[in-house]
Amino acid sequence: MNSQDINNLQNAFQYNVNLGSSPNAVSTSPTQSFMNTLPRRLSLSKQQKVLKPFSTGDIKILLLENVNQTAIANFKEQGYQVDFHKGSLPEDELIEKIKDVHAIGIRSKTKLTEKVLKHAKNLVVIGCFCIGTNQVDLEYAAKRGIAVFNSPFSNSRSVAELVIAEIISLARQVGDRSIELHTGTWNKVSNRCWEVRGKTLGIIGYGHIGSQLSVLAEAMGLHVIYYDIVTIMALGTAKQVPTLDELLSRSDFVSLHVPETPETKNMISAPQFASMKDGAYLINASRGTVVDIPSLIMAMKAKKIAGAALDVYPSEPGKNGAGLFADSLNSWTSDLVSLPNVILTPHIGGSTEEAQSAIGVEVSHALSKYINEGASVGAVNFPEVSLKALDYDQENTVRVLYIHKNVPGVLKTVNNILSDHNIEKQYSDSRGDIAYLMADISSVNQSDIKDIYEQLNNTEAKISIRLLY
């Protein structure tokens, strides 16, 4: 907190400025949406006090990769300054842009590495407007006190529907027939074309997407089996199998829905293709590193695999344009695109208007709630901490947000600093090497707040501090 921040803080206390409202929900996941319908314990006559870090016009948000307009509208409603770009930025330009922003919103193409984040002097939060977060150095962000949020639920239906479309298209060789007709070739055939009814779909990873896919597939008459590293209750009549090899040997279609981890890298390679049924089909709409594509090419050429649909790749272009999906990006590209009955899509699994709108709402609300209230529920790299909102009539109260190293004795030091004041609420939690404390301190004036900040700022374990009032 610099001198300007302290002046803003003092002015707000002096003039009792009402700076607008903050969102009421962290996310729009099914469970949270249900919880939001339950009665509140606060009486209707109690208005929530609005908390702001300082003049909201000073909050700068950088949005890249054509983040949905719902997010832009939410941030502008909060009074933030929004810098919006349709594409990703080159690293040198990104480093320059990120220096002064308080929050950044990205999708999958922007890489927030340690090199980039080192230049982010004011950054407090990152929003990944997608499922994955592997494009962010999560550990380094946490060490800098930067919370990272994503949207793990909102595009599940869109991805599941794309996979259903690809199952049918592969079984009927729709992609090849379409390409042929576009070039003037009439090729009406039924050989090696199948109905999907009665076939077996094997789902690897039975999370939000895998389970939705399971329900859709059963409605179409497919038998569903699934493999997951944890035991998960089946939906419908799906059955969990104990090993990956069993799933591969029994499935006519195999669909992957796993995260990118060291354990999932090349989890489908030559031995796994050998275990699959002759004439089976592979679909990958998860992460590009999960399938060993050179091995897939070999299995296709040997006619072990009858078809494949890929939406993700180990290396993907950073922007749209002609000629970008080439051997210079992935050395096997020419071989892959020459194969019959292979559907290639440019990472569009979650790219529907409905999904992007829902993601925009979910992530922007999570970022706004963290900026305005300090609530970190839903953060992927951070302790999840939240305090209930202050009542509107609770004046001269400051919320302390203290992010620190998770080492012995810190809470004792902090409570000694706060002991001369009335602590209305306090909550802390830790995650690995990082801990996060929130506390509401009442009956304080400008001098008290400045003193609290300076004492906490001088503690050895401090990573970052914010004061909301």
Side-chain angles (χ1 to χ4, degrees), residues 107-109 111 128-135 150-152 155 159 204 209 255-262 264-268 282-293 309-316 347-350:
R107 294 175 69 186
S108 58
K109 295 176 182 176
K111 307 300 181 186
C128 296
F129 287 76
C130 52
I131 293 178
T133 56
N134 56 295
Q135 67 275 41
N150 69 335
S151 179
N155 66 0
V159 178
I204 302 174
I209 297 173
S255 187
L256 291 148
H257 302 283
V258 297
E260 181 177 355
T261 67
T264 63
K265 184 175 182 180
N266 290 336
M267 72 178 298
I268 304 297
L282 179 76
I283 300 165
N284 184 22
S286 59
R287 288 292 177 260
T289 58
V290 171
V291 175
D292 178 13
I293 295 182
L310 303 177
D311 187 48
V312 289
Y313 312 90
S315 297
E316 298 178 358
H347 206 149
I348 59 169

Side-chain angles (χ1 to χ4, degrees), residues 41 48 192 208 302 310 313 347 378 380 439:
R41 291 188 177 185
Q48 292 184 351
R192 310 296 295 175
H208 296 287
L310 303 177
Y313 312 90
H347 206 149
V380 298

Side-chain angles (χ1 to χ4, degrees), residues 399-404 410-411 413-418 437 439 441 449-467:
R399 175 164 290 181
V400 176
L401 310 178
Y402 179 68
I403 303 166
H404 60 90
V410 177
L411 291 182
T413 300
V414 171
N415 287 326
N416 284 338
I417 294 172
L418 302 179
L437 176 143
I441 314 299
I449 294 171
K450 183 178 179 181
D451 181 62
I452 290 170
Y453 174 82
E454 289 179 347
Q455 288 192 64
L456 290 175
N457 192 48
N458 289 328
T459 55
E460 291 184 5
K462 184 264 304 184
I463 293 175
S464 68
I465 304 172
R466 289 196 297 141
L467 300 181

